[in-house]
Amino acid sequence: MLKGKKIILGITGSIAAYKATYLICGLVKKGAEVQVVITPAGKEFITPVTLSALSSHPVISEFFSNRDGSWHSHVDLGLWADAMLIAPATAASIGKMANGIADNMLITTYLSCKAPVFVAPAMDLDMFAHPATQQNIDRLRGFGNHIIEPGEGELASHLVGKGRMEEPDRIIEILEEFFTGSQDLQNKKILITAGPTYEKIDPVRFIGNYSSGKMGFALAEECARRGAEVTLVTGPVSLTVTHPQIRRIQVESAEEMYKAAMAEYPQADAGILCAAVADYRPEQVCTEKIKREKTGEMQLRLIPNRDIAASLGAIKREDQLLVGFALETTDGLTNAASKLEKKNLDYIVLNSLQDLGAGFQVDTNRITIIDRKGEITAYPLKGKKEVAQDIIHKLVTLVS
Ligand code: C5P
């Protein structure tokens, strides 16, 4: 799995730097080649001698190896790697990465790196919770970096909270999953709905909602990465797909989404209905712009849209799966369980608008999965990419 993989291990100035030794040993044991790049502060916590002995490579920390004019090329290093892992990643280094402040070898290597980047933050609980840190982490997520969430526990300050670097064994597992789990949906066809729908009022106005499409797009990327052929039926969003195995069908209204989804589902092995579909649409669409001067007070008569999830649930075959979402403000578990039943879903992903960081527009989500057996799994707050992995992990256990 990790055999022959070239990994850059970036170490920054955290007390958790000692855990990098376990990371190197674990990675080398799995057959990976590890090149350590360390920040000046990192060297205060662990010596390059230890790191080079364990990795069997000289440690890189300075731009210039000596005073004879030779220098380390961060560009070559960035291109050499199959993955870059920054563990531990301090608040300062995360801030520099998020803002492109390339004042040491580790940050320049990060900026040059074409390979996937994994970041394992390690810091005190208040530093981690600070909006500056959280915004920087969100920016890294936005760049497509994988954030390995820190755990909760006793920190170097002896305070207890979230900020403890994920355990080395688990970090190695995450890298392994990235490189191997990739093909467990090969030959599978997955239909995904994403984004909001716009229901026209007149040529310039519509009824919409705050859905950004981020969760649905993350699911599409995750399925494609694992080998599936994905059909992504999306409402209006400002996102692009990157994977060649994702076929995008652009729609605007709930009715258009319904038609596309009904046409595509019979060919699919599974459907994941992530879109925030408008429940109602104006009964009449004005062909001309409605004028305030003419209309004065106005009433908009709305009629219900068709429920795509329930309609697909009704035509679902034995060999197909169907996954839905529930965004609830109250009684989340009860409402989600009843939707699971009503729409004939195999499992439902509940997110509550009461949870900070969950729901529309944000890059994070906190979900609970409820399946047909009544099994309930609650997950911590994670980036949408990681949440997509959890949702698809569940799909993989059910897909035949
Ligand atoms: O009933 P509710 O809208 O809360 O259900 C949410 C789930 O149903 C989501 O998976 C959503 O994508 C799907 N849905 C749909 N068509 C609708 C309304 C909701 O597919 N018209």
Side-chain angles (χ1 to χ4, degrees):
M1 301 180 209
L2 287 174
K3 202 167 162 53
K5 294 284 180 236
K6 301 187 186 84
I7 314 272
I8 300 172
L9 174 61
I11 302 173
T12 71
S14 154
I15 190 74
Y18 78 92
K19 291 189 183 169
T21 55
Y22 299 104
L23 279 169
I24 299 170
C25 292
L27 289 167
V28 168
K29 220 172 172 179
K30 302 262 179 190
E33 201 179 330
V34 180
Q35 173 62 62
V36 174
V37 182
I38 191 165
T39 62
K43 286 192 283 187
E44 301 292 330
F45 290 89
I46 186 155
T47 79
V49 177
T50 308
L51 300 166
S52 75
L54 294 173
S55 64
S56 312
H57 281 295
V59 168
I60 298 176
S61 77
E62 310 292 338
F63 289 115
F64 308 102
S65 44
N66 46 43
R67 297 265 153 224
D68 60 3
S70 59
W71 64 302
H72 288 122
S73 168
H74 53 88
V75 177
D76 289 350
L77 197 54
L79 295 177
W80 168 85
D82 293 307
M84 180 169 188
L85 165 66
I86 299 160
T90 58
S93 286
I94 288 171
K96 288 182 189 177
M97 288 157 66
N99 293 286
I101 301 171
D103 68 348
N104 65 45
M105 190 63 193
L106 193 152
I107 309 292
T108 50
T109 305
Y110 164 74
L111 292 176
S112 314
C113 189
K114 286 251 203 277
V117 177
F118 296 79
V119 183
M123 64 198 75
D124 201 45
L125 73 166
D126 293 318
M127 289 177 83
F128 184 72
H130 196 282
T133 310
Q134 287 304 313
Q135 278 176 21
N136 286 332
I137 289 178
D138 279 348
R139 282 200 90 184
L140 296 187
R141 283 197 179 100
F143 301 159
N145 297 168
H146 303 256
I147 306 297
I148 303 175
E149 292 289 330
E152 292 193 22
E154 186 171 349
L155 304 166
S157 58
H158 301 298
L159 295 171
V160 176
K162 187 166 176 173
R164 206 181 145 88
M165 187 177 88
E166 182 57 281
E167 292 306 323
D169 285 350
R170 179 62 196 137
I171 294 178
I172 293 169
E173 238 173 62
I174 289 169
L175 286 178
E176 278 185 309
E177 280 166 17
F178 179 83
F179 284 113
T180 57
S182 51
Q183 295 310 303
D184 47 14
L185 287 177
Q186 202 164 29
N187 299 326
K188 299 290 175 205
K189 293 192 170 67
I190 315 256
L191 165 71
I192 298 175
T193 66
T197 64
Y198 284 4
E199 310 300 324
K200 257 201 172 92
I201 299 172
D202 70 11
V204 293
R205 303 184 183 90
F206 60 84
I207 298 173
N209 61 64
Y210 291 121
S211 171
S212 62
K214 284 178 182 168
M215 193 66 245
F217 275 59
L219 285 163
E221 293 285 345
E222 176 63 12
C223 289
R225 193 180 68 71
R226 294 168 97 130
E229 254 178 67
V230 180
T231 301
L232 177 64
V233 180
T234 177
V237 293
S238 57
L239 300 172
T240 49
V241 288
T242 53
H243 203 289
Q245 262 165 238
I246 303 175
R247 182 166 61 102
R248 175 177 185 155
I249 300 179
Q250 187 65 50
V251 295
E252 187 176 284
S253 64
E255 193 54 23
E256 285 170 14
M257 188 175 274
Y258 171 85
K259 284 186 181 139
M262 287 297 274
E264 294 294 329
Y265 190 54
Q267 291 82 259
D269 296 288
I272 307 175
L273 307 168
C274 193
V277 186
D279 289 328
Y280 293 92
R281 66 176 182 276
E283 187 176 36
Q284 286 192 336
V285 180
C286 292
T287 49
E288 302 295 331
K289 184 180 170 195
I290 300 169
K291 292 267 189 236
R292 185 177 34 174
E293 298 81 4
K294 273 194 210 156
T295 318
E297 193 177 294
M298 73 170 286
Q299 276 190 355
L300 203 55
R301 213 181 132 71
L302 302 175
I303 54 169
N305 277 325
R306 291 190 268 201
D307 188 323
I308 304 168
S311 308
L312 297 186
I315 60 163
K316 184 173 78 166
R317 299 187 306 263
E318 281 279 297
D319 62 338
Q320 289 180 303
L321 293 170
L322 197 59
V323 179
F325 277 70
L327 182 68
E328 304 293 334
T329 48
T330 49
D331 294 333
L333 282 177
T334 320
N335 288 332
S338 112
K339 279 174 194 173
L340 173 85
E341 202 56 47
K342 255 198 262 169
K343 302 187 191 217
N344 193 21
L345 307 171
D346 293 280
Y347 60 97
I348 191 159
V349 181
L350 164 69
N351 37 61
S352 161
L353 269 187
Q354 284 162 337
D355 279 336
L356 207 66
F360 288 142
Q361 303 277 338
V362 290
D363 287 319
T364 49
N365 205 353
R366 188 199 299 274
I367 59 156
T368 303
I369 292 183
I370 307 160
D371 70 13
R372 286 202 84 80
K373 287 190 222 136
E375 202 172 287
I376 299 173
T377 316
Y379 297 83
L381 186 73
K382 293 185 182 187
K384 284 190 173 165
K385 196 181 264 185
E386 289 78 30
V387 172
Q389 284 168 2
D390 290 335
I391 294 169
I392 301 308
H393 182 75
K394 175 81 179 174
L395 189 79
V396 169
T397 62
L398 299 175
V399 93
S400 50

